[in-house]
Amino acid sequence: MSTTPSTTGSDDGPGDRPVVVLGATGQQGGAVVRALRERGRAVRAVVRDPAGARARTLAAGGVEVVPGDLDDAASLRSAMTGAHGVFSVQPSSGQAGSGVTDEDEVRFGLAVADAAQAAGVAHLVYSSANAVGPVPTGVGHVDTKARIEEHVRALPTPSTVIRPAAFMEILLLPGSGLPDGRFSFLARPDQAMQFIAARDVGRVVAQVLAAPSRWAGRTVELAGDALTGDALAAVLAGHLGRPVEYRRIPDDVLARERLLGRLAALVDDGRLAGRADLDALRADFPFLLRFDDWLAGPGSALLDAALRPTSGGVSLR
């Protein structure tokens, strides 16, 4: 669905009611919290352990921290009582070490949406993935999101679905090869793939939540840049001041690592490469970072870390 607006958005009257943020101690939820707080919005973070270090940091920053469990519907409804909006993101089986199954993720996503409906919130924003579409991908942690999207849209609660492209942050995970002057990822050298900075997901969500009537009922494909494998290496080389050679993750690795192989196939057929209209997005969200700008700003520390020798591997989300 197009992101081109027909009106100029403005705040739809949340008053001082908070926005409830799931995953507030993680990457996306944390970015949403920061963006909302920058706008002066009241934020209520749902966390499993309010006494944990990350939760205490949120509280110190003026965030209301409340206990909640994705497997406890009553705790979710309680956390959302009196809220104006909800940002929903769930732990995924695609995240290493999450301990979450595909069915867990679906159950969690449906529980959050149902709790938002029961609490009568004005707007629910659900974070999905850019490979989601009408045809199943065969990748569990992508197809889970299609099932959650369907449920969210079926509820009477006004909702917006965002589908972020691959995060720029994952480009600099250990194992990319940068210490040796190489860079490897899923795209072919001449194939464009879209990316977005996690910071910008937060800023987009904050802007969407500020104008529910403008964004409700829409699915927004999100990206800030599109680069081929060779272009990614060229941007990295410019920041490092030395050549960087791009190589797609080798075929033998893609064959051995089934998930990586399936993700590479989704890049090849275009679904994971991204289909966002970058010009229309930038008209709505002019703050969206290109990869070059992200490396010079929020990504600079990650670039430094990626240059340290490691034996780690590459993941996508």
Side-chain angles (χ1 to χ4, degrees):
M1 186 175 294
S2 171
T3 61
T4 303
S6 58
T7 61
T8 300
S10 61
D11 196 297
D12 289 4
D16 59 358
R17 289 182 293 158
V19 172
V20 171
V21 178
L22 281 296
T25 59
Q27 180 170 259
Q28 286 193 68
V32 172
V33 168
R34 289 189 291 275
L36 288 168
R37 294 298 294 150
E38 286 171 1
R39 284 173 166 257
R41 295 291 297 270
V43 176
R44 183 182 295 164
V46 181
V47 301
R48 179 170 291 184
D49 179 15
R54 291 183 180 181
R56 293 199 307 271
T57 298
L58 289 172
V63 174
E64 179 188 2
V65 176
V66 299
D69 190 314
L70 291 170
D71 261 328
D72 182 348
S75 74
L76 294 176
R77 289 194 300 271
S78 176
M80 295 177 191
T81 299
H84 179 259
V86 172
F87 172 70
S88 174
V89 67
Q90 284 74 52
S92 167
S93 64
Q95 296 169 320
S98 70
V100 171
T101 68
D102 294 337
E103 290 306 316
D104 287 338
E105 181 180 356
V106 173
R107 188 174 71 257
F108 295 160
L110 270 55
V112 171
D114 289 344
Q117 169 63 26
V121 304
H123 195 186
L124 169 66
V125 178
Y126 170 61
S127 181
S128 183
N130 72 335
V132 172
V135 179
T137 66
V139 175
H141 71 273
V142 175
D143 293 338
T144 53
K145 295 170 177 61
R147 293 165 62 187
I148 298 170
E149 282 192 19
E150 182 180 10
H151 185 79
V152 165
R153 294 192 186 96
L155 293 174
T157 299
S159 62
T160 303
V161 174
I162 62 168
R163 291 177 175 169
F167 290 113
M168 292 179 185
E169 286 78 3
I170 65 173
L171 292 169
L172 299 182
L173 288 175
S176 63
L178 279 179
D180 302 318
R182 293 179 288 103
F183 180 70
S184 295
F185 199 60
L186 292 167
R188 297 189 302 271
D190 60 350
Q191 179 186 23
M193 185 172 178
Q194 294 184 344
F195 302 93
I196 189 165
R199 182 208 75 167
D200 288 346
V201 172
R203 294 188 174 189
V204 167
V205 170
Q207 187 164 316
V208 167
L209 284 165
S213 63
R214 176 180 172 187
W215 294 100
R218 300 175 70 170
T219 297
V220 185
E221 306 282 345
L222 283 185
D225 209 349
L227 301 109
T228 65
D230 283 341
L232 284 169
V235 173
L236 287 164
H239 280 264
L240 298 178
R242 55 182 172 81
V244 175
E245 177 189 5
Y246 183 80
R247 301 177 186 176
R248 189 185 195 183
I249 297 173
D251 288 343
D252 63 330
V253 174
L254 296 178
R256 184 172 66 249
E257 302 290 339
R258 182 179 178 186
L259 176 58
L260 278 180
R262 187 65 191 126
L263 293 173
L266 289 176
V267 174
D268 288 346
D269 72 18
R271 285 182 282 181
L272 198 55
R275 50 185 176 260
D277 184 334
L278 296 183
D279 291 336
L281 281 171
R282 209 167 294 283
D284 277 331
F285 310 112
F287 51 76
L288 289 170
L289 291 171
R290 293 180 172 83
F291 184 51
D292 188 38
D293 297 325
W294 178 79
L295 283 174
S300 60
L302 289 177
L303 179 59
D304 290 341
L307 293 171
R308 300 168 193 151
T310 178
S311 58
V314 176
S315 175
L316 187 65
R317 283 185 79 87

